[in-house]
Every structure is written in structure tokens, then in C-alpha cells.
Amino acid sequence: MKKSALIITITSAAVVAVAAGVYFTFAAKPPAIETILPADAVFFAKFSEVDKQVKEFKASKLCKNIEKIDIDMLLEKSGAKKEDVEKFKAARTELTGFIGGLVLEKYFGKEIAVAVYPLKAGELTPEAFLDMASNFTLVTRVKPETKFIDFLAKIFNKAGRKYEVIEEKYRGRKITVVKLDDKVSLAYVQIKDMLVIGFGRKAAASSCDVADKKILSLAQDKDYTVAMSKFPKGADTVAFGDIGLMMSGFKRLAESIPAPKETSPLDPQQAVLAQVNKSVDMYAGFKTFSYAKYPGKIAKERMFVGIDRSKLMPFFKSFYSVKARKNTALKLAPASAIYYDWGTFEWRSYWKYITEEVSKEAAKANQGPTFNDMIAGIEKQMGISIEKDLIPALGDETGVCLTDINLDGMIPMPQFVVFLKVDKKEAIDRMLAQFTQGGSMQSESYKGTDIKYMNLPFGMAFQPAFCYVGDYLLFSLGREPIKGSIDSYSGAAKSLFENEEFKAVNYGLMEPANRVCFVRVDTLLQKAKGICEWGVRWMTFMSEQQKKYKDMMAAQTGKLEEDIKALEKEAADLKAKRADPAVTPEAAAELDSQIDEKGAMVESDKAQLDQFQERVQQQGKDPMSNFDGALVKLWLENAVYPVIDGLQSLKAVGSKTVFSGDSIQMETFSKIVE
């Protein structure tokens, strides 16, 4: 079997297996799926109340908007062939009929789980791909009367696929093997009310071994149980991953890449291996991640990343050792904020890590001045030492607050404030003094705060400005966002505390943390529509300029072609005159000179013509030259915007991250209003 055909077969079988798992329900209260899956999973995910989640999605504004999209019209307007449009219509009718009838009404699953197990080392042969696929296990609940083979028959019969069904006995249980060809097969086994499906017999046999207590189950896996014990009950989605096993798997995959026949300094296998090994080393100490999502008017998500501090690289060890604290910088965010992000930051470790990494890369390149030389030059210009003066002067908090995106100018202009906590203002002032020299810097006193800004001829929207507010250094592209932060910090205007959307998702966001983030999703999505409109206008303008340039080049080309013809005719006339026997030697010499001059002019014009034609040819390859603004706008208004409008049901999201002794803990709260 050819590798491409094998991959297609495996992919098709995977789709069938996943789809099959989605289509079954269960009647009795089931035991946990983890009790029949083997331990040592690289990744595990379980979805509960799937039928309810799908029904809720189908009732959502997003789904309804997607269903209204007239994709047939868009394809036809885009120039798709009639036969391709007809095939798409037929496939969509078949799919919607199948899902709408068979799946939702009869076979939809109530609980589904997916587990992935470690890969073996070896070359990427067709057999290796099959072995990889066998590490993928799907489990779903089934009704007692459900006949899975009948379901597969409907799938394969519709696809016109030939198959063979074989029943085998293993540990007193019946394993059904569906052979798709000589090498590829699906196998499944039912254990209690759970159906275990996989490529080949491995998944089914392993689950039988677990059920008979011959091997440990995932529910008995220490790493899994420790990770999942942090979550309360009631989650409709959970996930778990073993980061160490993942990194090892990536390394084995990299090692399986075939080496080139002739080795060279740029051996791709060695380059990939080096990068993978670097990533493995970088994430040493990150043990597991676990995730849970809880339904409700305010959807809640929790995630834990288990860490072993003794194995963390120095940068991560320092970064994740910063103590959580109350976020006083929240007062810098006005109530109108649409995005706010604050967090602790360990500058010294970050600077050390960056300088070491860049120095290594510079040493490998061995070209030009070293990184240390460049840093020394910058330090000399600023008059301070970054490591000895600037880094100690910075505090361990950073953040950004976005209040608007101005779409009225030539380009979208975000109105934001970046803020840094400062421990020693003197060193910061010495550095800033280097940038405030000259006549372009001006000052404005606003409610007792001195705002310094660069007076550029682009209007108030682009006048880079900075100032101190409390212990924070604020920077913005304009003065107005900074004034908004000054007002909210001083209490002269409402701050983010009083924003109704922030209140809705404020579940501990004001408690000690290492990071706090808030997003007005609906507002940002609305701004995204405006950015799309600006993008269409800009690309339409650029396309029109391209067309004007093309017309100009065509006119220039036409003129050159006419000039060349005229010059060639003049040269021909001169040559005819030169051929007259009556021409005197003096006149012949003059005519020869004129002929040479005309020839040189022809060659010059031809060379210029070649340049013009080459430019026109290159321009024809530029996508902007063929940009169809009307068609893009049609797709935006009829496909993209309906999706964006549907997503605006997600009003706001707030999240909090805390670094603890053995884990990184994240909580997210989402307000959804249909």
C-alpha cells in the first residue's frame, strides 16, 4: 500500500471512529470511563452531557447565524465551477440529513472520551503510522440494544467501502474486528455500557486487561489522580496531559525523521533534533496539566500545571517564584477598558536568559559585532548599565490597558497604556532623559501629574507620552489614554472596578494573584469588524493604485514601442540614402554617424522597454493587482460578520493565575448572553 493511500485510509477510519463515538447514549448511571482505560496516557479528554452541549450550541446565535450563510451563492460569485458547487450541495445535504436525523435523534453520545498513549521509536514507515494510530483510543457510552456493527455498516455502505467483520475472543470478551484492507482495521469491544474503539486490536485488548485487573487503569494512575483531585465535581469537560511523556514523544518523532543520504552541515534531521532537544530541556520540570470546565450562566474553567521546581530551568524557577499579591494597578484601568492585563514579572532572570540565548546564537553565526558589544553601545548612549542600573530600578509588575481602537484615521490606532512598576525612579529618569533631549519633547501638567510627550505632526492620536502615577511608569502613543488612567487612579472617574461586565466575571480577580486579565469580547469583536472594513478600504486603494500604475506603464510601453518603430524607420531611411552611389565620402561618413546614433537610441529604448515589461509582469504576480474588493466585502458581510455577530454572545472573560509551590493555577470566568 502506498503511504499516501495508507494515510487517507487511516484518516477516513479515524473520522468514522470519532463520529461513531459521538452517536451513542447510555441508559444507566455508568462507572467512570477512566476505570477501563490503561494508565500512563499522554493525553486524556472526556466530554460529558455531549447531547446537551450540542443542543445548546444548535440553539445559540452563532449556530443559527452559521446555518443562514448562503455558501452556495458565495461559491458561485467566487467563480467556482458549476459541477463543484453541485457536489458541495449534495455533500452538505447528505451530511445535514445524516446528522440531523440519525445522530441527534437516535445515536448521539452522552459521554465521550479520547486517550492517547506513548509512541514507539522507529522510522516513519507505513507500519509505523499504523502503530501510531493504534495509540489512539476512543470510548463512548452505548445503549444496551445498540448494535455498533449496524452503525458501521451504514457508514461504509454509504461510502461504498468493502470491509470484513471478524469476531474474536479475548479474556472471555468478544472483540469485533472490522478489516478495511489487509493492513488497516478497526476493532471494538463493549465493557459494561462502554464501547472501546481503536485502530487494530491494541485498544480493545488493553481495556480488557484493565477490566480484568491485569494492568493498572487510568483511574489508578498516580499522576492522573493527583492532577484531577484538584477539581470539584460537576465539570462537563475534563482533560489531562503528561507533559514529560509529550516531550519524549516529540523527541522520538524527531529521531524517526529519515536522515539524508549525504550528510552536510545543514543536516535537517540534526537541526530538528537539536531544536526538539532544546524544547525538551526548556520544559523540564513541567510535569502535567489538567483542565475542567463547568457550565452555567457564568462558565467557569480551571487549569493546573504541575511543576517540579528542582528540575525547572533557572529562568522559569525565578519567574514562577514571584509571590502573588493584590493587584493595586487595577485602579489604572478606566471603566471603559476593553482589555486589561496585569502580571508579575522577574526582569533580572528574563534579562539573563535573553542575553545568554542571544549570545549563543551570535557565537554560532560568528558575524559582525557580538551581542555584548551592541549592549555596551546602547548602555553608553543611555549613560546607564542595564544589568546594574535599569533592571534593579524596575519593579516586578507589568501590564497594559486598552480602552479603544480608533478607526477614523489612516490606520487603526489603538488607545492603550503600558505600565511598569518602578522601584528606583532615578535610574529610569536618567534613561528617559536621553530620549527627552531636543525640541520635540514637551510637557503638560494634568491634575498635578507632569506628562511628557513627543510633539509630532500627526495629531494628538500619535504623540508618544509617558508619566509617573504612584509607583508606576505609564507609556502611551497619545496623551488621552494616559489622562484616562490618571482619572481612574485618582478616583476622578470610574475605574474598572465599577464596570458591570467586570463585576459579572469578578470571581476572586481582586484577590492576590500573579496575573489578572479581563476582556470585553463583544466589544473587541465589534472593533474587529471595523478593522476588516478598514482592511478592505486599504487594499482597494492599493489595488486601484496598482491599476493606475499598470495603466501608466502600459502607456509608457506603447510610447516606447512607437518610438522604437520610428527610430528603426529613420535608421532604415538613412541606410537607404547611404547606399546611393552618388553620396560623397564626407556625406557617407555623416550618414554612418547618424545611423549609429539611431541604432544606439533603439537599443536604449529596447532595454527600457524590457524593464517596463518585466515590471508589468512582476506586478501581474502581485495579489494586490487582482484584488476584488466587492467580492471580499461580499464574503465579509455574508460569512465572516455573521460568525463575529454570533460570537458576540460571549460578553466578557476574566481570568486569574496564581503561582503556588508545586503548580501554576489558572481560573477563567466567562459571561455568555444569548
Side-chain angles (χ1 to χ4, degrees), residues 369-430:
T370 66
F371 178 71
N372 291 333
D373 291 337
M374 289 187 288
I375 293 299
I378 295 173
E379 290 178 332
K380 184 177 180 181
Q381 184 178 3
M382 292 193 304
I384 63 171
S385 165
I386 293 176
E387 186 172 350
K388 295 179 180 179
D389 299 324
L390 179 58
I391 298 298
L394 293 172
D396 57 0
E397 295 179 24
T398 66
V400 61
C401 177
L402 175 71
T403 53
D404 196 8
I405 301 176
N406 188 347
L407 301 171
D408 296 330
M410 291 183 61
I411 61 173
M413 185 64 67
Q415 296 184 10
F416 66 90
V417 172
V418 173
F419 52 90
L420 307 173
K421 192 171 184 180
V422 174
D423 288 340
K424 298 178 181 178
K425 293 183 180 180
E426 299 80 10
I428 302 297
D429 287 338
R430 288 203 307 273

Side-chain angles (χ1 to χ4, degrees), residues 107-124:
Y107 290 104
F108 208 92
K110 195 173 182 66
E111 188 174 19
I112 308 167
V114 176
V116 181
Y117 291 89
L119 303 174
K120 292 181 180 179
E123 293 186 3
L124 294 177

Side-chain angles (χ1 to χ4, degrees), residues 43-202:
F43 174 79
F44 171 77
K46 182 172 66 175
F47 309 90
S48 303
E49 302 292 342
V50 177
D51 49 353
K52 181 182 177 182
Q53 292 189 56
V54 171
K55 287 177 183 177
E56 289 176 351
F57 173 71
K58 286 183 70 66
S60 69
K61 183 179 179 181
L62 173 60
C63 185
K64 291 177 180 177
N65 285 4
I66 291 174
E67 289 175 345
K68 292 178 183 178
I69 295 175
D70 190 350
I71 192 68
D72 303 337
M73 177 272 293
L74 292 171
L75 289 174
E76 290 174 357
K77 294 287 187 181
S78 300
K81 294 181 181 179
K82 187 176 181 180
E83 54 268 28
D84 293 335
V85 175
E86 293 301 322
K87 288 179 182 178
F88 174 81
K89 289 180 179 179
R92 183 179 59 183
T93 301
E94 184 74 19
L95 180 63
T96 54
F98 178 72
I99 293 177
L102 177 64
V103 178
L104 293 181
E105 294 179 10
K106 186 176 180 182
Y107 290 104
F108 208 92
K110 195 173 182 66
E111 188 174 19
I112 308 167
V114 176
V116 181
Y117 291 89
L119 303 174
K120 292 181 180 179
E123 293 186 3
L124 294 177
T125 62
E127 291 74 18
F129 278 108
L130 286 173
D131 185 66
M132 288 181 195
S134 69
N135 290 295
F136 175 93
T137 303
L138 177 71
V139 184
T140 184
R141 304 285 181 179
V142 294
K143 292 180 179 179
E145 70 276 11
T146 300
K147 299 295 184 182
F148 184 62
I149 191 62
D150 293 341
F151 172 76
L152 286 181
K154 291 179 181 179
I155 296 280
F156 292 133
N157 289 339
K158 283 180 179 290
R161 182 67 184 263
K162 293 182 179 180
Y163 62 95
E164 180 184 0
V165 179
I166 302 173
E167 293 184 353
E168 300 178 356
K169 286 289 184 179
Y170 183 78
R171 295 193 180 279
R173 291 182 174 84
K174 182 179 71 174
I175 294 179
T176 303
V177 180
V178 183
K179 295 187 67 174
L180 304 179
D181 58 33
D182 292 338
K183 294 184 178 181
V184 181
S185 64
L186 290 173
Y188 64 90
V189 63
Q190 186 166 338
I191 302 175
K192 297 181 180 180
D193 65 339
M194 293 171 281
L195 197 71
V196 182
I197 310 164
F199 290 98
R201 299 166 178 79
K202 183 190 292 186

Side-chain angles (χ1 to χ4, degrees), residues 346-643:
E346 222 293 315
W347 288 100
R348 186 178 297 279
S349 297
Y350 184 73
W351 174 251
K352 183 179 179 181
Y353 173 72
I354 290 296
T355 52
E356 288 177 352
E357 289 299 310
V358 175
S359 296
K360 289 177 185 177
E361 295 300 320
K364 290 179 184 178
N366 197 26
Q367 293 179 353
T370 66
F371 178 71
N372 291 333
D373 291 337
M374 289 187 288
I375 293 299
I378 295 173
E379 290 178 332
K380 184 177 180 181
Q381 184 178 3
M382 292 193 304
I384 63 171
S385 165
I386 293 176
E387 186 172 350
K388 295 179 180 179
D389 299 324
L390 179 58
I391 298 298
L394 293 172
D396 57 0
E397 295 179 24
T398 66
V400 61
C401 177
L402 175 71
T403 53
D404 196 8
I405 301 176
N406 188 347
L407 301 171
D408 296 330
M410 291 183 61
I411 61 173
M413 185 64 67
Q415 296 184 10
F416 66 90
V417 172
V418 173
F419 52 90
L420 307 173
K421 192 171 184 180
V422 174
D423 288 340
K424 298 178 181 178
K425 293 183 180 180
E426 299 80 10
I428 302 297
D429 287 338
R430 288 203 307 273
M431 181 191 71
L432 293 175
Q434 301 297 320
F435 300 99
T436 57
Q437 294 177 358
S440 62
M441 294 301 300
Q442 297 188 11
S443 296
E444 177 187 0
S445 179
Y446 180 77
K447 297 183 178 180
T449 299
D450 184 31
I451 302 175
K452 294 189 180 297
Y453 65 96
M454 190 173 292
N455 190 16
L456 301 176
F458 304 115
M460 292 185 65
F462 189 68
Q463 292 184 336
F466 65 89
C467 71
Y468 289 105
V469 176
D471 293 332
Y472 298 93
L473 173 67
L474 277 59
F475 168 81
S476 180
L477 293 179
R479 283 173 284 163
E480 292 307 310
I482 284 183
K483 291 178 181 179
S485 290
I486 293 172
D487 288 341
S488 63
Y489 190 85
S490 65
K494 292 182 177 180
S495 69
L496 192 56
F497 298 112
E498 300 169 272
N499 181 292
E500 292 302 318
E501 302 298 344
F502 180 82
K503 290 179 181 179
V505 297
N506 182 16
Y507 287 79
L509 299 186
M510 297 169 65
E511 295 174 0
N514 290 95
R515 187 186 178 197
V516 172
C517 183
F518 170 75
V519 186
R520 282 287 306 273
V521 180
D522 56 346
T523 305
L524 276 180
L525 288 171
Q526 195 62 36
K527 292 295 180 181
K529 290 174 66 174
I531 293 173
C532 289
E533 293 288 341
W534 170 83
V536 172
R537 291 195 302 270
W538 180 81
M539 287 188 287
T540 300
F541 170 76
M542 294 300 295
S543 179
E544 290 173 352
Q545 295 301 111
Q546 290 269 28
K547 290 175 182 177
K548 289 180 180 179
Y549 179 75
K550 185 177 180 180
D551 292 340
M552 181 191 71
M553 294 299 293
Q556 291 282 358
T557 299
K559 185 176 183 303
L560 276 174
E561 289 174 342
E562 291 177 0
D563 290 347
I564 290 170
K565 288 180 181 179
L567 287 169
E568 288 177 338
K569 185 177 183 306
E570 291 176 11
D573 292 342
L574 289 170
K575 288 178 181 178
K577 190 174 181 180
R578 171 68 174 79
D580 187 345
V583 174
T584 63
E586 293 79 4
E590 178 62 25
L591 287 170
D592 287 338
S593 176
Q594 293 179 19
I595 291 170
D596 291 342
E597 183 180 353
K598 297 296 181 185
M601 293 173 67
V602 167
E603 292 303 318
S604 176
D605 283 357
K606 282 184 176 180
Q608 193 173 4
L609 179 62
D610 288 341
Q611 292 178 359
F612 281 5
Q613 289 174 337
E614 185 178 353
R615 290 177 189 173
V616 171
Q617 186 178 9
Q618 290 296 326
Q619 187 192 36
K621 298 178 182 178
D622 188 341
M624 291 301 301
S625 64
N626 299 313
F627 178 74
D628 188 340
L631 180 60
V632 172
K633 196 164 185 178
L634 185 71
W635 274 89
L636 286 173
E637 293 176 348
N638 291 276
V640 177
Y641 292 165
V643 173

